[in-house]
Amino acid sequence: MSNWDIAKISNFIEQEIAAGHLPGAVLYIAQRGKEVVKQAYGSRVMYPEAAPMSVDTVFDLASLTKVVATLPAVLQLMDQGKLTLADPIGSFLPQFRFFQEEPIRIVHLLTHSSGLRADIPGMRGLMHLSRDELVDLILNERPLHPPGTKVVYSDIGLILLYLIIESVTGEAFDTYLKREIFEPLEMAETGFCPTFAETRYAVTEFSEQRQAYKAGIVHDEKAELMHGISGHAGLFSTIHDVANYAEMIRQKGVFKGRRIISRAAIELSSRNFTPYDQEFRGLGWLLRNPRSFLFSGDYASEHSFGHTGFTGTSLLFEPEQDLQVIFLTNRVHFGRTEHILQIRPRLHNLILSQSQ
């Protein structure tokens, strides 16, 4: 039975806040289906005036969008027989029907092995573009190396998946997700382009364009140009709602007795599709590779998986201990420092050292 010392974990987070590495955070730990801790620390905003963090603070999830929105939508569509991992993306996006010995397939987008580059460089200088102009740029991207040979973490690939999901469903991405994923999971405060009172938000970075700190406006530049809705970033949520999502994953696609996604799809998503690369990738998920250093820390098992978000968010599953850890921060409120890269593995070490 686990012997939790929550004070020790809390002290670590509070020290990081005192050191100026984070404005604040909300931590959630669950084990064997039971909540261990759900606690807020520090401040949701420091500038221009400080206000405390709370457990119902709404966070910009950043790249957790990839696994909390885009991934479950794709898995559902696979369950419905509307697409397969082997489908060439040119079947849905005519711009990618150009000749290649090996076409880019759905699986390549989900595993970041499409051969497409990581990002469009100089996005801060492209904020004058319209949504359609940005989408055209992305649709004209071409792979730099053959698909299925190298992992390059790519926002571009997840934006393409967003376009494919809209093509397959015939409706807006956010509309589909709300009805098919978020409402069944009782994630009432999860969505794109949120409209909560400003006092609900974990405030992110100062925007030169807006001459204000972003609160409820997506931090990611590409998602902002896409009117706040995309497959790579843009989702806002609370610790409660992300915990509901994590419980569905833990229960292999079931939430409160209702099946959302098939067990087969959930289990497939955490298998290693990129053993040829230093970075092990499942469908959406980042997997544990003992030969590389990851956000999951030193004690995570080879079966662990999860994801991070640039704003300072993370989600970790440790199946061997039936453990889920959600750590939501707005570290970019202080700028684009790299303290979070050390904080996450140290926090997970503290947690996993107590969870057995």
Side-chain angles (χ1 to χ4, degrees):
M1 192 68 183
S2 303
N3 186 21
W4 291 102
D5 184 351
I6 302 304
K8 186 176 181 181
I9 297 169
S10 293
N11 185 56
F12 169 77
I13 297 171
E14 287 162 355
Q15 286 179 344
E16 293 296 325
I17 292 169
H21 297 164
L22 301 169
V26 181
L27 174 68
Y28 177 87
I29 304 171
Q31 188 170 35
R32 302 181 188 95
K34 294 184 178 180
E35 179 182 306
V36 174
V37 64
K38 179 166 67 176
Q39 191 164 333
Y41 306 87
S43 302
R44 65 169 187 84
V45 59
M46 291 295 291
Y47 310 118
E49 188 176 338
M53 188 73 78
S54 67
V55 292
D56 69 348
T57 293
V58 177
F59 286 84
D60 179 341
L61 294 187
S63 282
L64 287 192
T65 302
K66 295 176 171 75
V67 292
V68 180
T70 309
L71 174 63
V74 171
L75 296 180
Q76 274 195 344
L77 294 174
M78 289 167 58
D79 284 342
Q80 295 166 12
K82 293 180 179 177
L83 54 75
T84 73
L85 294 179
D87 286 341
I89 67 172
S91 301
F92 311 99
L93 304 173
Q95 295 87 342
F96 282 88
R97 287 179 184 158
F98 55 89
F99 175 78
Q100 274 184 287
E101 285 188 18
E102 173 58 33
I104 299 174
R105 303 178 187 275
I106 297 292
V107 67
H108 298 136
L109 299 182
L110 281 171
T111 58
H112 298 278
S113 60
S114 64
L116 295 167
R117 59 182 172 170
D119 208 346
I120 295 171
M123 271 308 303
R124 284 185 174 182
L126 298 175
M127 295 305 289
H128 62 281
L129 295 179
S130 69
R131 178 196 180 278
D132 290 345
E133 287 169 337
L134 177 62
V135 169
D136 283 343
L137 271 182
I138 290 164
L139 289 172
N140 283 296
E141 287 285 315
R142 295 296 176 260
L144 302 179
H145 50 262
T149 61
K150 182 180 180 182
V151 173
V152 175
Y153 181 78
S154 175
D155 280 354
I156 293 170
L158 271 291
I159 295 171
L160 293 175
L161 269 176
Y162 147 78
L163 297 172
I164 289 168
I165 290 165
E166 289 202 330
S167 172
V168 172
T169 62
E171 62 183 321
F173 186 60
D174 54 330
T175 302
Y176 178 87
L177 286 165
K178 182 178 180 181
R179 185 185 66 247
E180 300 295 335
I181 304 291
F182 302 145
E183 287 183 352
L185 290 175
E186 299 176 11
M187 296 170 69
E189 296 190 314
T190 299
F192 299 89
C193 307
T195 56
F196 301 104
E198 190 168 328
T199 53
R200 290 290 308 279
Y201 297 110
V203 177
T204 59
E205 197 172 15
F206 185 81
S207 166
E208 292 290 344
Q209 184 183 20
R210 296 175 179 272
Q211 285 298 296
Y213 286 89
K214 287 185 172 181
I217 298 165
V218 63
H219 175 262
D220 181 89
E221 289 90 358
K222 295 184 297 300
E224 186 176 4
L225 281 185
M226 296 178 73
H227 303 164
I229 304 171
S230 184
H232 74 290
L235 195 66
F236 285 76
S237 191
T238 61
I239 203 81
H240 168 275
D241 286 10
V242 179
N244 281 5
Y245 181 76
E247 178 62 12
M248 182 273 290
I249 298 293
R250 173 186 173 266
Q251 293 202 43
K252 308 293 186 184
V254 171
F255 181 74
K256 293 188 176 180
R258 177 177 176 179
R259 181 157 295 285
I260 312 298
I261 298 169
S262 72
R263 183 185 187 96
I266 297 294
E267 291 183 342
L268 182 66
S269 71
S270 61
R271 293 182 191 170
N272 185 11
F273 284 79
T274 62
Y276 50 80
D277 197 275
Q278 181 80 359
E279 191 169 297
F280 287 177
R281 283 277 168 186
L283 302 178
W285 302 112
L286 178 60
L287 311 183
R288 171 76 172 169
N289 180 355
R291 298 189 301 278
S292 62
F293 299 100
L294 296 177
F295 80 100
S296 54
D298 302 306
Y299 305 142
S301 74
E302 62 181 14
H303 298 115
S304 65
F305 60 95
H307 211 283
T308 63
F310 188 79
T311 49
T313 58
S314 60
L315 170 59
L316 176 66
F317 294 88
E318 177 48 276
E320 287 195 2
Q321 298 180 40
D322 195 3
L323 180 77
Q324 300 83 47
V325 181
I326 306 165
F327 188 53
L328 302 182
T329 84
N330 55 335
R331 62 102 184 186
V332 292
H333 189 48
F334 290 161
R336 304 189 181 195
T337 63
E338 295 192 347
H339 301 297
I340 194 71
L341 302 181
Q342 291 183 319
I343 293 170
R344 286 184 186 123
R346 291 175 181 180
L347 175 65
H348 290 136
N349 277 359
L350 273 171
I351 293 167
L352 290 170
S353 68
Q354 298 181 27
S355 62
Q356 296 190 29

